[in-house]
Amino acid sequence: MTVTDDELPPASGGFLARAAFVTAALSVAGALLGLVRDQALARLFGAGSDTDAFLVAWTVPEFAATLLIEDGLAFALIPAFSMALARRAQGAPGDPVRALVAGTLPRLAFAFTAVGALAAALAPQLVAVLAPGLPDPALAVDCTRLTATCVLSFGLAGYCSAALRAHRRFTAPAAIYVAYNIGIVTGMVALGGAWGVRAAAAGVAAGGCLMVLVQLPSLLGQLRKRTVAGEAPGEEARPLDTALLATVLLFALCRQSQVLVERFLASNLPAGAISHLNYAQKVAQMPMILSVMVCTVTFPVVARALAEGDTETARARVERDLSLAACIVLLGTAVVVACAPQIIEILFQRGAFGPRDTAATAGVMRVYALGLLGQTLTGVLARSYFSAGRARWYPVGAMATGIVVTSWAGALSVGAWGVYGIAAANAAGITVTALVLLAGTASEPQPAEAPRRRTAHQHSPRSVPIRTRGVLLELSRPVRAALVAGLAGALVAARCPGTLTALTAGGLTVTVVFVVLGRALGAQGVVDALHSVRSATRRLSHGRS
């Protein structure tokens, strides 16, 4: 039997850089459409009880996105598909990839359908728990029943995304939030006059379906690429490891529960506290979202390396991801800290959102920014734990530890410092999580003659083993650069007239100081980024000539 596996492009630096750029560009486009969505929601339905009812119903797709698309399901499926692709490349009989699909997709689709139907049936009880004080719970119940369809559509979208990324196809998965927000905006505009805010919930349901449809042609094309000479008996359908699925979903659930902790603590503060936290968090997390794009692209590469027993390649890739992602998020953190008032004023200060709201939100955002490095490290390190495709309870424990720290620190500080105490507790909790995860990745000592590769039957570490001392030393370099750059940018922004001028000058100052200091200190992420920019510039110049 002859098998061709040339559908997988090589995981070269140039390919990964292009994939990361496409993923980041489409993610930014999706985020911008999300802003258009929020503006359309405000313009069409205002900020009254109807909008509150829809936002309560939106809790379902918020949790579904984290559990089924962004973290949970991907942590289980990408390693599984990577292992199947490795076995296919090694000439396993039949098609391990199709066997995996046959063994997992029907079961998962049934589970998604059942949970979605249960959420729709229990919508009155869900609304009562999430928002017992709503003046019109019936409207929220109607919206929740519409958004409950996202359990199935988001689950299928997450399945397609994981399969395509394992095949090193990143464009369609990165476009899902573009399709999602187009569906919501279209639903609101087309049906808003007749259905009111229910049109937004219908748009969520339609957007979830579009997330699947935008990926389906690419996935079907990948599944058809298997070529076989001399048919061999096929493999039995292989279901997912239940323990693995439980651990990744619990980890994602713990991570998402941070939002619930914050809203619970802020519910007893003066009006506007939850809004300030919400706006500050959404803006502050943008650098973290961009930084995690790096490991979104490289996660399938790490999983494939472990599937082939190449722990050294996996270790080098994770360490490089940590340095590059840290540099990206620390540069963004410095900009956020330096220019927070200008950013919030430009984005939100209009209408009922006045200067006092801008000042309060900017202050909270600066505190939130202290936890962005921890958020990024958690995102990168969690993937290293689950990349081998085995159940790992350690990251669940680390995330639970962080939640406990967030809850206790928030409860102790909210009385004295209000929303600032909640934001600081969030930063402390996620930083503790990152440190616990990092401690668990310490390399196991190996004899000098230890082989580079392990077989699939040999004992594997609980995560990709990395050199923690070297990683901490490497991370200290961009941290120092970010401290100086943030201070310099804040001084420049404070002395510039005009909000846009101050933001531009402050942002440029932060960028220049960070890059120069990072290069001088030898920060590997800065060096790699500059090398990529020079290579891209060189290719463009050659193309023009």
Side-chain angles (χ1 to χ4, degrees):
M1 182 178 66
T2 303
V3 179
T4 62
D5 194 40
D6 57 355
E7 71 267 21
L8 291 185
S12 62
F15 168 77
L16 293 177
R18 289 191 297 273
F21 175 78
V22 169
T23 302
L26 287 172
S27 298
V28 169
L32 291 176
L33 280 172
L35 180 60
V36 172
R37 172 202 68 206
D38 294 342
Q39 291 173 334
L41 182 70
R43 183 175 66 85
L44 291 171
F45 308 115
S49 59
D50 285 2
T51 308
D52 288 345
F54 169 69
L55 291 176
V56 170
W58 209 350
T59 304
V60 175
E62 279 183 330
F63 268 79
T66 299
L67 294 175
L68 303 178
I69 299 177
E70 295 165 9
D71 288 339
L73 200 61
F75 288 169
L77 285 173
I78 288 178
F81 273 102
S82 298
M83 178 64 75
L85 286 165
R87 297 186 70 252
R88 172 196 275 184
Q90 293 163 3
D95 187 348
V97 176
R98 291 181 184 174
L100 176 62
V101 173
T104 56
L105 184 55
R107 291 176 172 87
L108 288 174
F110 176 79
F112 299 149
T113 303
V115 174
L118 185 63
L122 297 179
Q125 290 77 16
L126 283 175
V127 170
V129 170
L130 293 172
L134 277 182
D136 185 8
L139 179 58
V141 169
D142 290 344
C143 292
T144 300
R145 284 175 172 153
L146 287 167
T147 60
T149 60
C150 286
V151 178
L152 175 59
S153 59
F154 280 29
L156 295 177
Y159 190 97
C160 293
S161 295
L164 286 171
R165 285 170 177 155
H167 283 83
R168 297 175 193 165
R169 296 299 187 272
F170 298 98
T171 301
I176 59 176
Y177 286 109
V178 174
Y180 175 60
N181 286 316
I182 287 175
I184 298 176
V185 173
T186 302
M188 287 192 293
V189 173
L191 302 175
W195 289 16
V197 80
R198 292 178 180 86
V204 170
C209 295
L210 290 177
M211 295 169 90
V212 180
L213 293 177
V214 78
Q215 299 180 92
L216 202 55
S218 181
L219 179 59
L220 292 176
Q222 293 304 312
L223 294 177
R224 292 185 184 124
K225 280 189 175 182
R226 167 77 162 177
T227 60
V228 181
E231 203 55 50
E235 290 195 348
E236 292 184 4
R238 295 190 172 194
L240 277 179
D241 183 349
T242 303
L244 170 62
L245 197 58
T247 55
V248 297
L249 291 179
L250 279 174
F251 176 84
L253 186 63
C254 286
R255 191 168 185 182
Q256 183 65 19
S257 65
Q258 282 184 308
V259 177
L260 298 182
V261 171
E262 293 174 13
R263 290 178 181 173
F264 177 81
L265 292 173
S267 61
N268 294 318
L269 295 177
I274 294 177
S275 295
H276 295 152
L277 287 165
N278 179 64
Y279 291 129
Q281 187 179 58
K282 283 186 175 180
V283 177
Q285 284 188 343
M286 286 303 297
M288 183 271 294
I289 293 171
L290 291 175
S291 67
V292 173
M293 290 299 103
V294 175
C295 56
T296 297
V297 170
T298 59
F299 181 37
V301 177
V302 175
R304 180 64 179 267
L306 289 180
E308 295 172 347
D310 192 352
T311 55
E312 178 61 22
T313 294
R315 180 198 60 76
R317 184 70 260 175
V318 171
E319 290 183 358
R320 190 171 182 180
D321 288 349
L322 285 168
S323 63
L324 182 56
C327 285
I328 294 172
V329 77
L330 285 168
L331 173 58
T333 299
V335 173
V336 166
V337 171
C339 306
Q342 292 81 11
I343 294 172
I344 297 300
E345 182 176 344
I346 289 173
L347 288 178
F348 299 113
Q349 188 172 310
R350 56 184 61 88
F353 197 99
R356 292 182 61 184
D357 295 310
T358 294
T361 304
V364 174
M365 189 166 72
R366 280 173 164 158
V367 179
Y368 260 132
L370 301 178
L372 290 180
L373 179 59
Q375 292 273 10
T376 296
L377 296 182
T378 298
V380 178
L381 292 169
R383 286 163 172 81
S384 78
Y385 279 91
F386 293 115
S387 54
R390 296 179 178 86
R392 300 289 188 240
W393 290 100
Y394 186 85
V396 178
M399 195 70 243
T401 301
I403 291 295
V404 170
V405 171
T406 298
S407 302
W408 279 100
L412 292 174
S413 61
V414 66
W417 296 306
V419 289
Y420 298 101
I422 296 174
N426 176 287
I430 198 63
T431 301
V432 168
T433 299
L435 291 175
V436 174
L437 288 173
L438 188 60
T441 60
S443 297
E444 299 173 352
Q446 301 289 335
E449 66 275 9
R452 173 183 171 87
R453 293 177 180 266
R454 299 170 183 251
T455 68
H457 302 289
Q458 287 178 296
H459 172 70
S460 62
R462 65 184 176 186
S463 68
V464 177
I466 65 175
R467 297 165 295 194
T468 53
R469 183 174 299 180
V471 166
L472 289 172
L473 178 62
E474 173 59 35
L475 291 178
S476 70
R477 298 185 178 108
V479 167
R480 284 177 279 167
L483 288 172
V484 177
L487 179 60
L491 292 174
V492 171
R495 285 165 172 73
C496 288
T499 304
L500 184 58
T501 302
L503 176 58
T504 303
L508 286 175
T509 301
V510 168
T511 303
V512 171
V513 173
F514 181 84
V515 170
V516 170
L517 277 181
R519 182 68 181 86
L521 292 170
Q524 188 60 47
V526 175
V527 173
D528 289 344
L530 291 175
H531 176 72
S532 298
V533 171
R534 282 196 296 267
S535 298
T537 305
R538 192 178 301 116
R539 285 195 296 269
L540 287 174
S541 62
H542 288 333
R544 293 192 186 99
S545 61

